[in-house]
Amino acid sequence: MSNRTERPGDVPVWLAELFRDSYNAFYGTDYIEEILEEQHTDVDMRLLDSDGNMQEEIQHLLADPDWGLRHHSEIAFFEIRETLQKAVDKSGLKKDFFLSVLTTIDNLPKKKHARIRLVDDLWTCLEERIKGLRLNGVKEHGFDYFELEDLCGELIANAFTKVRVKFINKEYERNVAGPSVAFCVQDEWIKTLTLEAIQKKADKYYSNPEDLILLVELQNGPTSETGDIPGIIEALQHEPPVFKEVWIGSGSMGGAVRVWPS
């Protein structure tokens, strides 16, 4: 997830570095980034060559998901994290591991008591398996859908898209890794959010938008597996943006991706 505090200007440092590295890899260049600390109408960041000459100008855009949906999701995921932690504490199991889960709000029951019961059931079927993994000297293990279905049943396998346990060298008071319980969005939602953000930015006045690179920052990264990236590329081919290029990036992506031109 993006670090909103690490921001000397409009562009977060991590995103500037992610974009710089991806741009250089794509074009075979060796540019450095310059984040503009003051508010500029057209430019939030520049790419410079080794002599300090400006090569590209970048306009940044944060495409943030609907706050109400995200807030509702964060409440549900806090329940999951706290329920799992209480179950670990109650079990008396040696706390030499981190446990993380990944889910989406759509996969969870609507009512709080049903969500908590589902998480309790998840821990009940994982506890003995975790003990066995430790005894066998396994350092890290991810439970895929089929293993979860075999251990816990179809309902839990459908609710939790990823469960991972990682053993560590010492014991910790809290063992459920909060950042791994992430806000996710369903297919097509990232595509819709991205396209709407690009159009909103295009509707603003820029003296020379055809010379600007638009860098879209997403709270959640699109994936090629779900068709997000190909879908965005296809949509932009049908309705080309006014900008020179469009890139997207997020804290959960390994690199920024150029989606226009393609």
Side-chain angles (χ1 to χ4, degrees), residues 145-203:
Y145 175 88
F146 299 104
E147 185 174 6
L148 278 180
E149 184 182 34
D150 183 56
L151 287 171
C152 311
E154 185 178 354
L155 183 64
I156 289 178
N158 287 333
F160 300 101
T161 52
K162 185 182 295 182
V163 178
R164 180 168 293 278
V165 60
K166 182 177 182 179
F167 294 94
I168 49 185
N169 294 326
K170 61 180 180 178
E171 295 190 30
Y172 284 86
E173 183 179 346
R174 297 185 64 80
N175 304 83
V176 179
S180 294
V181 184
F183 171 74
C184 299
V185 294
Q186 54 190 309
D187 293 356
E188 295 295 313
W189 194 84
I190 288 178
K191 170 186 169 183
T192 301
L193 175 67
T194 304
L195 296 176
E196 288 178 352
I198 292 172
Q199 185 57 51
K200 183 178 179 180
K201 204 69 169 179
D203 289 340

Short mmCIF file of all heavy atoms in Angstrom, two decimals, residues 145-203:
data_model
loop_
_atom_site.label_atom_id
_atom_site.label_comp_id
_atom_site.label_asym_id
_atom_site.label_seq_id
_atom_site.Cartn_x
_atom_site.Cartn_y
_atom_site.Cartn_z
N TYR A 145 -6.06 -22.51 -2.75
CA TYR A 145 -7.49 -22.78 -2.63
C TYR A 145 -7.76 -24.25 -2.31
O TYR A 145 -8.57 -24.56 -1.43
CB TYR A 145 -8.20 -22.40 -3.93
CG TYR A 145 -9.68 -22.76 -3.92
CD1 TYR A 145 -10.62 -21.88 -3.40
CD2 TYR A 145 -10.12 -24.00 -4.41
CE1 TYR A 145 -11.97 -22.21 -3.37
CE2 TYR A 145 -11.47 -24.34 -4.38
CZ TYR A 145 -12.38 -23.44 -3.86
OH TYR A 145 -13.72 -23.78 -3.83
N PHE A 146 -7.08 -25.14 -3.01
CA PHE A 146 -7.37 -26.56 -2.86
C PHE A 146 -6.97 -27.09 -1.49
O PHE A 146 -7.67 -27.94 -0.92
CB PHE A 146 -6.70 -27.35 -3.99
CG PHE A 146 -7.16 -26.94 -5.36
CD1 PHE A 146 -6.37 -26.15 -6.18
CD2 PHE A 146 -8.42 -27.34 -5.81
CE1 PHE A 146 -6.82 -25.76 -7.43
CE2 PHE A 146 -8.86 -26.95 -7.07
CZ PHE A 146 -8.07 -26.16 -7.87
N GLU A 147 -5.86 -26.59 -0.96
CA GLU A 147 -5.46 -27.01 0.38
C GLU A 147 -6.44 -26.48 1.43
O GLU A 147 -6.81 -27.18 2.36
CB GLU A 147 -4.04 -26.56 0.70
CG GLU A 147 -3.53 -27.09 2.04
CD GLU A 147 -2.08 -26.76 2.31
OE1 GLU A 147 -1.49 -26.01 1.50
OE2 GLU A 147 -1.55 -27.26 3.32
N LEU A 148 -6.85 -25.21 1.25
CA LEU A 148 -7.83 -24.65 2.18
C LEU A 148 -9.16 -25.40 2.11
O LEU A 148 -9.80 -25.66 3.13
CB LEU A 148 -8.07 -23.17 1.87
CG LEU A 148 -7.06 -22.16 2.42
CD1 LEU A 148 -7.45 -20.75 2.00
CD2 LEU A 148 -6.94 -22.25 3.93
N GLU A 149 -9.55 -25.74 0.90
CA GLU A 149 -10.81 -26.48 0.73
C GLU A 149 -10.72 -27.84 1.41
O GLU A 149 -11.68 -28.29 2.07
CB GLU A 149 -11.13 -26.64 -0.75
CG GLU A 149 -12.48 -27.32 -1.01
CD GLU A 149 -12.73 -27.52 -2.48
OE1 GLU A 149 -11.75 -27.75 -3.24
OE2 GLU A 149 -13.91 -27.46 -2.89
N ASP A 150 -9.57 -28.51 1.27
CA ASP A 150 -9.39 -29.82 1.87
C ASP A 150 -9.36 -29.73 3.40
O ASP A 150 -9.94 -30.57 4.10
CB ASP A 150 -8.09 -30.45 1.36
CG ASP A 150 -7.88 -31.86 1.90
OD1 ASP A 150 -8.77 -32.71 1.71
OD2 ASP A 150 -6.83 -32.10 2.53
N LEU A 151 -8.70 -28.70 3.92
CA LEU A 151 -8.56 -28.55 5.37
C LEU A 151 -9.81 -27.96 6.03
O LEU A 151 -10.21 -28.40 7.11
CB LEU A 151 -7.37 -27.64 5.70
CG LEU A 151 -5.97 -28.19 5.50
CD1 LEU A 151 -4.95 -27.07 5.67
CD2 LEU A 151 -5.69 -29.31 6.50
N CYS A 152 -10.39 -26.96 5.37
CA CYS A 152 -11.40 -26.13 6.04
C CYS A 152 -12.77 -26.16 5.38
O CYS A 152 -13.74 -25.66 5.96
CB CYS A 152 -10.93 -24.69 6.10
SG CYS A 152 -9.26 -24.46 6.72
N GLY A 153 -12.86 -26.67 4.16
CA GLY A 153 -14.13 -26.68 3.47
C GLY A 153 -14.25 -25.58 2.43
O GLY A 153 -13.48 -24.61 2.41
N GLU A 154 -15.23 -25.71 1.57
CA GLU A 154 -15.40 -24.80 0.43
C GLU A 154 -15.73 -23.37 0.86
O GLU A 154 -15.26 -22.41 0.25
CB GLU A 154 -16.51 -25.33 -0.47
CG GLU A 154 -16.71 -24.54 -1.75
CD GLU A 154 -17.79 -25.13 -2.64
OE1 GLU A 154 -18.30 -26.22 -2.31
OE2 GLU A 154 -18.12 -24.49 -3.65
N LEU A 155 -16.52 -23.22 1.91
CA LEU A 155 -16.93 -21.89 2.36
C LEU A 155 -15.72 -21.03 2.73
O LEU A 155 -15.60 -19.88 2.30
CB LEU A 155 -17.87 -22.01 3.56
CG LEU A 155 -18.45 -20.69 4.09
CD1 LEU A 155 -19.34 -20.05 3.03
CD2 LEU A 155 -19.24 -20.93 5.37
N ILE A 156 -14.81 -21.59 3.49
CA ILE A 156 -13.61 -20.85 3.91
C ILE A 156 -12.66 -20.66 2.73
O ILE A 156 -12.05 -19.59 2.57
CB ILE A 156 -12.91 -21.58 5.07
CG1 ILE A 156 -13.76 -21.44 6.34
CG2 ILE A 156 -11.50 -21.05 5.30
CD1 ILE A 156 -13.21 -22.15 7.55
N ALA A 157 -12.51 -21.67 1.89
CA ALA A 157 -11.63 -21.55 0.72
C ALA A 157 -12.10 -20.44 -0.21
O ALA A 157 -11.28 -19.73 -0.83
CB ALA A 157 -11.57 -22.88 -0.02
N ASN A 158 -13.40 -20.26 -0.31
CA ASN A 158 -13.94 -19.20 -1.17
C ASN A 158 -13.80 -17.82 -0.54
O ASN A 158 -13.70 -16.81 -1.23
CB ASN A 158 -15.42 -19.46 -1.46
CG ASN A 158 -15.62 -20.60 -2.45
OD1 ASN A 158 -14.76 -20.89 -3.27
ND2 ASN A 158 -16.75 -21.28 -2.34
N ALA A 159 -13.79 -17.78 0.80
CA ALA A 159 -13.72 -16.50 1.50
C ALA A 159 -12.32 -15.93 1.54
O ALA A 159 -12.12 -14.72 1.42
CB ALA A 159 -14.26 -16.65 2.92
N PHE A 160 -11.31 -16.79 1.71
CA PHE A 160 -9.94 -16.32 1.88
C PHE A 160 -9.10 -16.74 0.67
O PHE A 160 -8.80 -17.91 0.49
CB PHE A 160 -9.35 -16.87 3.17
CG PHE A 160 -10.12 -16.44 4.39
CD1 PHE A 160 -11.02 -17.29 5.00
CD2 PHE A 160 -9.99 -15.15 4.89
CE1 PHE A 160 -11.75 -16.90 6.11
CE2 PHE A 160 -10.72 -14.74 5.99
CZ PHE A 160 -11.61 -15.60 6.60
N THR A 161 -8.74 -15.75 -0.14
CA THR A 161 -8.05 -16.05 -1.39
C THR A 161 -6.59 -16.43 -1.19
O THR A 161 -5.98 -17.03 -2.06
CB THR A 161 -8.12 -14.83 -2.33
OG1 THR A 161 -7.66 -13.67 -1.62
CG2 THR A 161 -9.56 -14.58 -2.77
N LYS A 162 -6.02 -16.04 -0.06
CA LYS A 162 -4.64 -16.41 0.22
C LYS A 162 -4.40 -16.41 1.73
O LYS A 162 -4.79 -15.49 2.43
CB LYS A 162 -3.66 -15.43 -0.44
CG LYS A 162 -2.19 -15.81 -0.29
CD LYS A 162 -1.29 -14.77 -0.91
CE LYS A 162 -1.47 -14.68 -2.42
NZ LYS A 162 -0.53 -13.70 -3.02
N VAL A 163 -3.80 -17.48 2.22
CA VAL A 163 -3.41 -17.57 3.62
C VAL A 163 -1.95 -18.01 3.65
O VAL A 163 -1.57 -18.96 2.96
CB VAL A 163 -4.28 -18.59 4.40
CG1 VAL A 163 -3.81 -18.69 5.85
CG2 VAL A 163 -5.75 -18.19 4.34
N ARG A 164 -1.13 -17.33 4.45
CA ARG A 164 0.31 -17.64 4.48
C ARG A 164 0.82 -17.61 5.91
O ARG A 164 0.45 -16.73 6.68
CB ARG A 164 1.10 -16.65 3.62
CG ARG A 164 2.61 -16.90 3.58
CD ARG A 164 3.26 -16.07 2.50
NE ARG A 164 2.84 -16.51 1.18
CZ ARG A 164 3.36 -17.53 0.52
NH1 ARG A 164 4.36 -18.22 1.05
NH2 ARG A 164 2.92 -17.86 -0.67
N VAL A 165 1.66 -18.59 6.24
CA VAL A 165 2.30 -18.61 7.55
C VAL A 165 3.81 -18.57 7.33
O VAL A 165 4.35 -19.23 6.44
CB VAL A 165 1.90 -19.87 8.36
CG1 VAL A 165 2.29 -21.14 7.64
CG2 VAL A 165 2.51 -19.83 9.75
N LYS A 166 4.49 -17.74 8.11
CA LYS A 166 5.94 -17.60 8.01
C LYS A 166 6.53 -17.74 9.41
O LYS A 166 6.17 -17.00 10.33
CB LYS A 166 6.32 -16.24 7.42
CG LYS A 166 7.82 -16.04 7.25
CD LYS A 166 8.13 -14.71 6.59
CE LYS A 166 9.63 -14.53 6.38
NZ LYS A 166 9.93 -13.24 5.72
N PHE A 167 7.44 -18.71 9.58
CA PHE A 167 8.05 -18.95 10.88
C PHE A 167 9.27 -18.06 11.06
O PHE A 167 10.02 -17.81 10.11
CB PHE A 167 8.43 -20.43 11.01
CG PHE A 167 7.23 -21.33 11.03
CD1 PHE A 167 6.77 -21.92 9.85
CD2 PHE A 167 6.54 -21.58 12.20
CE1 PHE A 167 5.65 -22.74 9.86
CE2 PHE A 167 5.42 -22.39 12.22
CZ PHE A 167 4.98 -22.98 11.05
N ILE A 168 9.47 -17.59 12.28
CA ILE A 168 10.54 -16.65 12.59
C ILE A 168 11.40 -17.21 13.73
O ILE A 168 11.07 -18.24 14.31
CB ILE A 168 9.95 -15.28 12.99
CG1 ILE A 168 8.85 -15.47 14.04
CG2 ILE A 168 9.40 -14.56 11.77
CD1 ILE A 168 8.11 -14.22 14.41
N ASN A 169 12.49 -16.52 14.03
CA ASN A 169 13.46 -17.06 14.98
C ASN A 169 13.15 -16.74 16.44
O ASN A 169 13.76 -17.30 17.34
CB ASN A 169 14.86 -16.54 14.65
CG ASN A 169 15.36 -17.07 13.32
OD1 ASN A 169 15.04 -18.20 12.95
ND2 ASN A 169 16.11 -16.25 12.60
N LYS A 170 12.22 -15.85 16.68
CA LYS A 170 11.87 -15.52 18.06
C LYS A 170 10.37 -15.31 18.15
O LYS A 170 9.67 -15.22 17.14
CB LYS A 170 12.62 -14.29 18.52
CG LYS A 170 12.34 -13.02 17.71
CD LYS A 170 13.14 -11.85 18.27
CE LYS A 170 12.87 -10.58 17.47
NZ LYS A 170 13.61 -9.42 18.04
N GLU A 171 9.89 -15.24 19.36
CA GLU A 171 8.46 -15.10 19.59
C GLU A 171 8.06 -13.63 19.63
O GLU A 171 8.81 -12.78 20.09
CB GLU A 171 8.06 -15.79 20.89
CG GLU A 171 8.26 -17.30 20.85
CD GLU A 171 7.63 -18.00 22.04
OE1 GLU A 171 6.62 -17.48 22.56
OE2 GLU A 171 8.14 -19.04 22.46
N TYR A 172 6.85 -13.36 19.12
CA TYR A 172 6.30 -12.02 19.12
C TYR A 172 4.95 -12.01 19.82
O TYR A 172 4.26 -13.02 19.86
CB TYR A 172 6.13 -11.50 17.68
CG TYR A 172 7.43 -11.08 17.04
CD1 TYR A 172 8.22 -12.02 16.38
CD2 TYR A 172 7.86 -9.76 17.08
CE1 TYR A 172 9.42 -11.65 15.78
CE2 TYR A 172 9.05 -9.38 16.49
CZ TYR A 172 9.82 -10.33 15.85
OH TYR A 172 10.99 -9.95 15.26
N GLU A 173 4.61 -10.84 20.35
CA GLU A 173 3.33 -10.74 21.06
C GLU A 173 2.15 -10.84 20.11
O GLU A 173 1.15 -11.46 20.41
CB GLU A 173 3.27 -9.41 21.83
CG GLU A 173 1.99 -9.25 22.65
CD GLU A 173 1.98 -7.94 23.43
OE1 GLU A 173 3.04 -7.30 23.54
OE2 GLU A 173 0.91 -7.58 23.92
N ARG A 174 2.30 -10.19 18.94
CA ARG A 174 1.21 -10.23 17.95
C ARG A 174 1.71 -10.97 16.72
O ARG A 174 2.80 -10.70 16.22
CB ARG A 174 0.76 -8.81 17.60
CG ARG A 174 0.19 -8.07 18.80
CD ARG A 174 -0.36 -6.72 18.41
NE ARG A 174 -1.50 -6.81 17.50
CZ ARG A 174 -2.76 -7.08 17.87
NH1 ARG A 174 -3.02 -7.30 19.15
NH2 ARG A 174 -3.73 -7.12 17.00
N ASN A 175 0.87 -11.87 16.22
CA ASN A 175 1.32 -12.78 15.17
C ASN A 175 0.53 -12.69 13.87
O ASN A 175 0.84 -13.38 12.91
CB ASN A 175 1.25 -14.23 15.67
CG ASN A 175 2.06 -14.40 16.93
OD1 ASN A 175 1.58 -14.12 18.02
ND2 ASN A 175 3.30 -14.83 16.79
N VAL A 176 -0.50 -11.87 13.85
CA VAL A 176 -1.27 -11.71 12.62
C VAL A 176 -0.80 -10.43 11.94
O VAL A 176 -0.87 -9.34 12.51
CB VAL A 176 -2.78 -11.64 12.92
CG1 VAL A 176 -3.56 -11.45 11.63
CG2 VAL A 176 -3.23 -12.91 13.61
N ALA A 177 -0.27 -10.57 10.75
CA ALA A 177 0.36 -9.44 10.04
C ALA A 177 -0.71 -8.54 9.44
O ALA A 177 -1.36 -8.91 8.47
CB ALA A 177 1.30 -9.97 8.95
N GLY A 178 -0.87 -7.38 10.02
CA GLY A 178 -1.91 -6.46 9.58
C GLY A 178 -1.85 -6.05 8.12
O GLY A 178 -2.85 -6.12 7.42
N PRO A 179 -0.67 -5.60 7.62
CA PRO A 179 -0.62 -5.15 6.22
C PRO A 179 -0.99 -6.21 5.20
O PRO A 179 -1.34 -5.89 4.08
CB PRO A 179 0.86 -4.75 6.06
CG PRO A 179 1.32 -4.44 7.43
CD PRO A 179 0.58 -5.39 8.32
N SER A 180 -0.91 -7.49 5.59
CA SER A 180 -1.25 -8.54 4.63
C SER A 180 -2.76 -8.73 4.50
O SER A 180 -3.22 -9.41 3.61
CB SER A 180 -0.63 -9.87 5.06
OG SER A 180 0.78 -9.78 4.98
N VAL A 181 -3.50 -8.15 5.43
CA VAL A 181 -4.95 -8.16 5.30
C VAL A 181 -5.32 -6.92 4.52
O VAL A 181 -5.44 -5.85 5.06
CB VAL A 181 -5.65 -8.18 6.68
CG1 VAL A 181 -7.15 -8.31 6.52
CG2 VAL A 181 -5.12 -9.33 7.51
N ALA A 182 -5.44 -7.06 3.22
CA ALA A 182 -5.45 -5.89 2.34
C ALA A 182 -6.83 -5.61 1.78
O ALA A 182 -7.66 -6.50 1.63
CB ALA A 182 -4.48 -6.12 1.19
N PHE A 183 -7.08 -4.34 1.47
CA PHE A 183 -8.30 -3.95 0.76
C PHE A 183 -8.14 -4.35 -0.70
O PHE A 183 -7.17 -3.99 -1.34
CB PHE A 183 -8.51 -2.45 0.88
CG PHE A 183 -9.61 -1.92 0.01
CD1 PHE A 183 -10.93 -2.16 0.33
CD2 PHE A 183 -9.32 -1.21 -1.13
CE1 PHE A 183 -11.95 -1.67 -0.47
CE2 PHE A 183 -10.32 -0.72 -1.93
CZ PHE A 183 -11.64 -0.96 -1.60
N CYS A 184 -9.08 -5.09 -1.22
CA CYS A 184 -9.02 -5.52 -2.61
C CYS A 184 -10.28 -5.09 -3.33
O CYS A 184 -11.29 -4.77 -2.72
CB CYS A 184 -8.89 -7.05 -2.71
SG CYS A 184 -7.42 -7.68 -1.93
N VAL A 185 -10.23 -5.07 -4.62
CA VAL A 185 -11.40 -4.72 -5.41
C VAL A 185 -11.64 -5.79 -6.45
O VAL A 185 -10.75 -6.52 -6.84
CB VAL A 185 -11.21 -3.36 -6.12
CG1 VAL A 185 -11.14 -2.24 -5.09
CG2 VAL A 185 -9.96 -3.36 -6.96
N GLN A 186 -12.88 -5.89 -6.88
CA GLN A 186 -13.22 -6.94 -7.82
C GLN A 186 -12.79 -6.57 -9.24
O GLN A 186 -12.48 -5.42 -9.53
CB GLN A 186 -14.72 -7.19 -7.78
CG GLN A 186 -15.56 -5.94 -7.99
CD GLN A 186 -17.01 -6.18 -7.69
OE1 GLN A 186 -17.59 -7.13 -8.19
NE2 GLN A 186 -17.61 -5.32 -6.88
N ASP A 187 -12.79 -7.57 -10.12
CA ASP A 187 -12.40 -7.37 -11.51
C ASP A 187 -13.23 -6.25 -12.14
O ASP A 187 -14.39 -6.05 -11.82
CB ASP A 187 -12.62 -8.65 -12.32
CG ASP A 187 -11.67 -9.76 -11.86
OD1 ASP A 187 -10.83 -9.47 -11.00
OD2 ASP A 187 -11.81 -10.89 -12.35
N GLU A 188 -12.61 -5.52 -13.05
CA GLU A 188 -13.22 -4.42 -13.80
C GLU A 188 -13.28 -3.13 -12.99
O GLU A 188 -13.34 -2.05 -13.55
CB GLU A 188 -14.64 -4.77 -14.30
CG GLU A 188 -14.69 -5.90 -15.33
CD GLU A 188 -14.00 -5.50 -16.62
OE1 GLU A 188 -14.27 -4.39 -17.12
OE2 GLU A 188 -13.18 -6.28 -17.12
N TRP A 189 -13.26 -3.23 -11.65
CA TRP A 189 -13.36 -2.02 -10.85
C TRP A 189 -12.12 -1.16 -11.01
O TRP A 189 -12.22 0.06 -11.12
CB TRP A 189 -13.57 -2.40 -9.39
CG TRP A 189 -14.01 -1.25 -8.54
CD1 TRP A 189 -15.28 -0.78 -8.37
CD2 TRP A 189 -13.17 -0.41 -7.76
NE1 TRP A 189 -15.28 0.28 -7.51
CE2 TRP A 189 -13.99 0.54 -7.12
CE3 TRP A 189 -11.80 -0.37 -7.51
CZ2 TRP A 189 -13.50 1.51 -6.26
CZ3 TRP A 189 -11.30 0.61 -6.66
CH2 TRP A 189 -12.14 1.53 -6.05
N ILE A 190 -10.95 -1.78 -11.02
CA ILE A 190 -9.70 -1.03 -11.21
C ILE A 190 -9.69 -0.39 -12.60
O ILE A 190 -9.30 0.76 -12.76
CB ILE A 190 -8.48 -1.95 -11.03
CG1 ILE A 190 -8.31 -2.30 -9.55
CG2 ILE A 190 -7.21 -1.30 -11.56
CD1 ILE A 190 -7.17 -3.23 -9.26
N LYS A 191 -10.13 -1.13 -13.57
CA LYS A 191 -10.20 -0.59 -14.94
C LYS A 191 -11.10 0.64 -14.98
O LYS A 191 -10.73 1.69 -15.52
CB LYS A 191 -10.72 -1.67 -15.89
CG LYS A 191 -11.07 -1.16 -17.28
CD LYS A 191 -11.71 -2.26 -18.11
CE LYS A 191 -12.30 -1.70 -19.39
NZ LYS A 191 -12.99 -2.75 -20.18
N THR A 192 -12.29 0.53 -14.39
CA THR A 192 -13.24 1.64 -14.40
C THR A 192 -12.67 2.85 -13.67
O THR A 192 -12.76 3.98 -14.15
CB THR A 192 -14.56 1.21 -13.74
OG1 THR A 192 -15.10 0.10 -14.46
CG2 THR A 192 -15.57 2.35 -13.73
N LEU A 193 -12.09 2.61 -12.50
CA LEU A 193 -11.50 3.68 -11.71
C LEU A 193 -10.40 4.39 -12.49
O LEU A 193 -10.34 5.63 -12.52
CB LEU A 193 -10.94 3.12 -10.41
CG LEU A 193 -10.18 4.10 -9.50
CD1 LEU A 193 -11.11 5.15 -8.94
CD2 LEU A 193 -9.48 3.35 -8.38
N THR A 194 -9.53 3.63 -13.13
CA THR A 194 -8.41 4.20 -13.88
C THR A 194 -8.90 5.05 -15.05
O THR A 194 -8.43 6.17 -15.26
CB THR A 194 -7.49 3.08 -14.40
OG1 THR A 194 -7.05 2.28 -13.30
CG2 THR A 194 -6.29 3.66 -15.12
N LEU A 195 -9.83 4.53 -15.81
CA LEU A 195 -10.34 5.25 -16.99
C LEU A 195 -11.06 6.53 -16.58
O LEU A 195 -10.92 7.57 -17.24
CB LEU A 195 -11.27 4.34 -17.80
CG LEU A 195 -10.60 3.11 -18.42
CD1 LEU A 195 -11.63 2.24 -19.13
CD2 LEU A 195 -9.49 3.52 -19.38
N GLU A 196 -11.83 6.46 -15.49
CA GLU A 196 -12.53 7.65 -15.02
C GLU A 196 -11.53 8.71 -14.55
O GLU A 196 -11.72 9.91 -14.79
CB GLU A 196 -13.48 7.29 -13.88
CG GLU A 196 -14.71 6.52 -14.34
CD GLU A 196 -15.62 6.14 -13.19
OE1 GLU A 196 -15.21 6.34 -12.02
OE2 GLU A 196 -16.74 5.67 -13.44
N ALA A 197 -10.46 8.28 -13.89
CA ALA A 197 -9.45 9.21 -13.41
C ALA A 197 -8.73 9.88 -14.57
O ALA A 197 -8.47 11.09 -14.55
CB ALA A 197 -8.46 8.47 -12.51
N ILE A 198 -8.39 9.10 -15.59
CA ILE A 198 -7.71 9.65 -16.77
C ILE A 198 -8.59 10.68 -17.46
O ILE A 198 -8.13 11.76 -17.85
CB ILE A 198 -7.32 8.52 -17.74
CG1 ILE A 198 -6.22 7.64 -17.11
CG2 ILE A 198 -6.83 9.09 -19.07
CD1 ILE A 198 -5.91 6.40 -17.91
N GLN A 199 -9.87 10.37 -17.61
CA GLN A 199 -10.80 11.28 -18.27
C GLN A 199 -10.96 12.57 -17.47
O GLN A 199 -11.01 13.67 -18.03
CB GLN A 199 -12.16 10.62 -18.47
CG GLN A 199 -13.15 11.46 -19.27
CD GLN A 199 -12.61 11.84 -20.64
OE1 GLN A 199 -12.16 10.99 -21.40
NE2 GLN A 199 -12.64 13.13 -20.96
N LYS A 200 -11.04 12.42 -16.15
CA LYS A 200 -11.18 13.60 -15.29
C LYS A 200 -9.97 14.52 -15.44
O LYS A 200 -10.11 15.74 -15.49
CB LYS A 200 -11.32 13.15 -13.84
CG LYS A 200 -11.53 14.29 -12.86
CD LYS A 200 -11.71 13.75 -11.45
CE LYS A 200 -11.90 14.90 -10.46
NZ LYS A 200 -12.06 14.39 -9.07
N LYS A 201 -8.79 13.93 -15.53
CA LYS A 201 -7.57 14.72 -15.69
C LYS A 201 -7.53 15.36 -17.08
O LYS A 201 -7.09 16.50 -17.25
CB LYS A 201 -6.35 13.84 -15.49
CG LYS A 201 -5.10 14.58 -15.07
CD LYS A 201 -5.22 15.12 -13.66
CE LYS A 201 -3.90 15.64 -13.15
NZ LYS A 201 -3.99 16.20 -11.79
N ALA A 202 -8.00 14.62 -18.07
CA ALA A 202 -7.98 15.12 -19.45
C ALA A 202 -8.93 16.30 -19.63
O ALA A 202 -8.71 17.15 -20.51
CB ALA A 202 -8.37 14.00 -20.41
N ASP A 203 -9.98 16.37 -18.81
CA ASP A 203 -10.95 17.46 -18.92
C ASP A 203 -10.41 18.77 -18.37
O ASP A 203 -11.00 19.83 -18.58
CB ASP A 203 -12.24 17.10 -18.18
CG ASP A 203 -13.02 16.01 -18.90
OD1 ASP A 203 -12.79 15.82 -20.11
OD2 ASP A 203 -13.85 15.33 -18.26
#
